[in-house]
């Protein structure tokens, strides 16, 4: 049996009927010329007697995961046809997973266009964070177009399911001292004197921060990753900071279109992986960075550098600490925010206005049963107080964006992706670099 990590327990505790806490991935594949291929593949999958491996055979048992010995293929795998892919994914993303079974499902989807079919896999956030999910995906698919054996998404290459003993154990007294020193610096000095320090009390009231219902919108877009790299190089900031900058500009545009742009800057929660080489490939190993999105700043260049400075401040602090020290520091600094999220006490007053997550993806082409993976679109969680989530990943030469929102609360929120494209074009003009439209074909 594998024990739940405290962060895994948090994601289970957050779950309610109107706020499922699973993450998803929409994988688009090139459709084969053989018109019978997909139907034959579906039958092979359903008839396969290969049982799933961890974590796909793990079922909740109290505060531990235990191995499930009764695999129900009809619950976990389904073939569906739909003419509206994103609408179908949105509907599925709003449905909770059954806690009496392993917490995942896989849909093979056809009918939405003549060139592609899709897999939509959703897995409970208690089982994986973004980095862990990406590791599972890369191990489920192949770097070679080899169709000689049936590949099932729930049977991956060997993964580590248990943490390895750490090579060095930091004495508890030393860890406590380090955390105390960092807390003292942050709360007594930086909070007052460092403009790059973002507190968990400064996020303004925003239409993103409302109690949600079960309505969902899922929207996707692909952007040319070379454009993002060019902008980052010209602005002398990281690719991650550039992505936050583009999201900030798009959010600013959307809120202005709704006459809802606050006078003070929005704050983004940026999940940061603290997973190390001793950690298992499963579970959650995350902390969070609070980033000043500078949405009150008209000047686009100044906005980018303000965002970068606030992120770098947090990263520099965390680099001085071990994983356990980061968990200790975060538990103290974000304790009030965490209690508000768990209790839903004041959904309109949040420590952050939006979650923006960027998970590095594969740089080389991947294949499934001989068919090339063409796009990966992530789908993450929204919950009371956080009605919008933007999650991004990279694949080949593309930046793939998956937007999840509570549709009833945020009218025309899908326009955010168009605004993001406009931001890319604007920055390329500013740095005098030609814009090359990305060909999704």
């Amino acid at each position: 049996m594998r024990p739940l990590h405290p962060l895994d327990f948090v994601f289970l505790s957050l779950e309610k009927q109107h706020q499922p806490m699973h993450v998803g991935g929409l994988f688009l594949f090139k459709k084969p010329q053989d018109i019978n291929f997909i139907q034959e593949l579906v039958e092979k999958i359903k008839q396969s007697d290969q049982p799933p491996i961890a974590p796909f055979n793990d079922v909740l048992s109290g505060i531990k995961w235990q191995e499930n010995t009764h695999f129900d293929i009809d619950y976990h795998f389904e073939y569906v046809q739909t003419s509206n892919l994103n609408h179908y994914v949105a509907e599925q993303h709003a449905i909770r997973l059954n806690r009496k079974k392993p917490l995942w499902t896989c849909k093979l989807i056809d009918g939405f266009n003549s060139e592609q079919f899709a897999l939509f896999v959703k897995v409970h956030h208690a089982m994986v964070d973004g980095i862990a999910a990406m590791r599972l995906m890369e191990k489920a698919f192949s770097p070679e177009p080899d169709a000689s054996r049936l590949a099932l998404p729930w049977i991956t290459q060997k993964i580590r399911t248990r943490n390895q003993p750490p090579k060095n154990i930091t004495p508890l007294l030393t860890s406590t001292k380090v955390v105390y020193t960092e807390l003292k610096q942050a709360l007594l000095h930086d909070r007052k004197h460092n403009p790059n320090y973002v507190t968990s009390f400064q996020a303004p009231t925003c239409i993103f921060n409302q109690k949600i219902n079960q309505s969902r919108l899922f929207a996707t877009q692909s952007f040319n990753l070379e454009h993002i790299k060019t902008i980052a190089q010209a602005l002398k900031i990281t690719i991650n900071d550039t992505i936050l900058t583009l999201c900030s500009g798009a959010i600013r545009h959307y809120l202005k279109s709704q006459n809802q742009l606050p006078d003070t800057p929005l704050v983004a929660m940026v999940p940061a992986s603290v997973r190390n080489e001793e950690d298992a490939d499963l579970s959650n190993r995350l902390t969070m960075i609070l980033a000043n999105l500078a949405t009150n700043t008209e000047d686009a260049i100044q906005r980018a550098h303000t965002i970068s400075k606030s992120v770098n401040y947090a990263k520099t602090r965390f680099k001085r600490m071990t994983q356990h020290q980061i968990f200790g520091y975060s538990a103290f600094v974000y304790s009030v925010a965490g209690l508000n999220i768990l209790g839903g006490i004041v959904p309109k007053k949040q420590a952050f206005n939006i979650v923006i997550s960027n998970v590095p993806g594969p740089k080389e082409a991947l294949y499934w049963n001989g068919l090339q993976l063409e796009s990966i679109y992530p789908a993450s969680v929204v919950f009371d107080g956080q009605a919008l989530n933007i999650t991004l990943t990279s694949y080949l030469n593309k930046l793939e964006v998956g937007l999840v929102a509570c549709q009833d609360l945020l009218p025309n929120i899908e326009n955010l992706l168009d605004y993001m494209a406009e931001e890319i074009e604007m920055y390329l003009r500013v740095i005098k670099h030609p814009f090359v439209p990305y060909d999704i074909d």
Side-chain angles (χ1 to χ4, degrees), residues 252-264:
R252 174 183 161 85
H253 194 153
Y254 172 77
L255 292 175
K256 288 180 72 175
S257 74
Q258 302 296 313
N259 295 316
Q260 294 286 344
L261 180 65
D263 293 331
T264 55

Side-chain angles (χ1 to χ4, degrees), residues 6-118:
L7 285 176
D8 306 342
F9 184 76
V10 168
F11 286 114
L12 289 168
S13 301
L14 274 172
E15 190 162 59
K16 302 174 186 176
Q17 187 63 37
H18 68 286
Q19 57 180 46
M21 295 305 293
H22 51 255
V23 292
L26 179 63
F27 306 98
L28 300 185
F29 295 90
K30 184 176 182 179
K31 189 177 287 188
Q33 293 183 347
D34 183 354
I35 61 174
N36 298 315
F37 181 92
I38 292 178
Q39 286 288 352
E40 292 173 356
L41 177 61
V42 170
E43 289 305 312
K44 288 179 182 178
I45 291 173
K46 288 189 172 183
Q47 294 171 12
S48 173
D49 59 358
Q50 299 181 69
I53 66 171
F56 299 104
N57 62 350
D58 288 345
V59 67
L60 273 175
S61 177
I63 59 172
K64 293 185 177 181
W65 300 103
Q66 71 175 16
E67 184 176 345
N68 176 65
T69 56
H70 303 288
F71 179 52
D72 183 358
I73 184 96
D74 292 324
Y75 170 77
H76 290 287
F77 175 76
E78 184 180 9
Y79 170 68
V80 295
Q81 290 193 323
T82 181
S83 59
N84 190 327
L85 179 61
N86 282 356
H87 180 72
Y88 175 79
V89 170
E91 288 183 333
Q92 290 299 309
H93 203 52
I95 301 172
R96 286 180 63 176
L97 293 163
N98 185 346
R99 290 201 182 187
K100 295 181 180 179
K101 299 178 181 293
L103 295 175
W104 64 274
T105 59
C106 175
K107 311 289 185 182
L108 195 156
I109 311 168
D110 195 11
F112 55 90
N113 72 45
S114 61
E115 303 295 327
Q116 296 174 311
F117 73 98

Side-chain angles (χ1 to χ4, degrees), residues 132-297:
M134 189 60 69
R135 286 181 181 178
L136 285 176
M137 184 273 294
E138 292 190 57
K139 291 179 179 180
F141 300 146
S142 170
E144 301 294 337
D146 178 15
S148 61
R149 65 177 182 85
L150 177 66
L152 303 175
W154 49 89
I155 300 177
T156 66
Q157 301 173 33
K158 185 173 178 59
I159 60 173
R160 290 182 312 201
T161 59
R162 295 182 182 275
N163 292 337
Q164 298 176 357
K167 297 175 182 178
N168 296 295
I169 301 177
T170 305
L172 180 61
L173 183 61
T174 303
S175 291
T176 304
K177 182 179 180 181
V178 170
V179 172
Y180 172 77
T181 301
E182 293 295 344
L183 287 170
K184 183 178 178 181
Q185 173 71 22
L187 300 179
L188 298 184
H189 181 271
D190 294 355
R191 186 169 64 90
K192 298 177 181 178
H193 305 294
N194 191 327
N196 300 316
Y197 179 75
V198 180
T199 78
S200 56
F201 300 99
Q202 74 183 60
T205 301
C206 176
I207 59 170
F208 298 158
N209 309 121
Q210 304 181 59
K211 188 177 178 65
I212 67 169
N213 59 30
Q214 210 164 350
S215 70
R216 292 292 182 274
L217 176 139
F218 178 62
T220 62
Q221 185 61 274
S222 296
F223 296 109
N224 189 331
L225 188 58
E226 289 305 314
H227 286 160
I228 315 299
K229 292 178 179 178
T230 298
I231 295 169
Q233 185 176 18
L235 298 180
K236 294 182 172 57
I237 60 177
T238 68
I239 292 175
N240 281 341
D241 294 348
T242 303
I243 289 170
L244 282 175
T245 298
L246 297 172
C247 290
S248 170
I251 289 167
R252 174 183 161 85
H253 194 153
Y254 172 77
L255 292 175
K256 288 180 72 175
S257 74
Q258 302 296 313
N259 295 316
Q260 294 286 344
L261 180 65
D263 293 331
T264 55
L266 266 62
V267 173
M269 190 276 267
V270 183
S273 175
V274 294
R275 191 175 295 274
N276 57 43
E277 62 182 16
E278 287 85 22
D279 285 326
D281 289 335
L282 310 176
S283 188
N284 289 269
R285 298 295 184 272
L286 295 170
T287 187
M288 65 181 189
I289 289 174
L290 295 183
N292 178 353
L293 288 182
T295 47
N296 61 331
T297 303

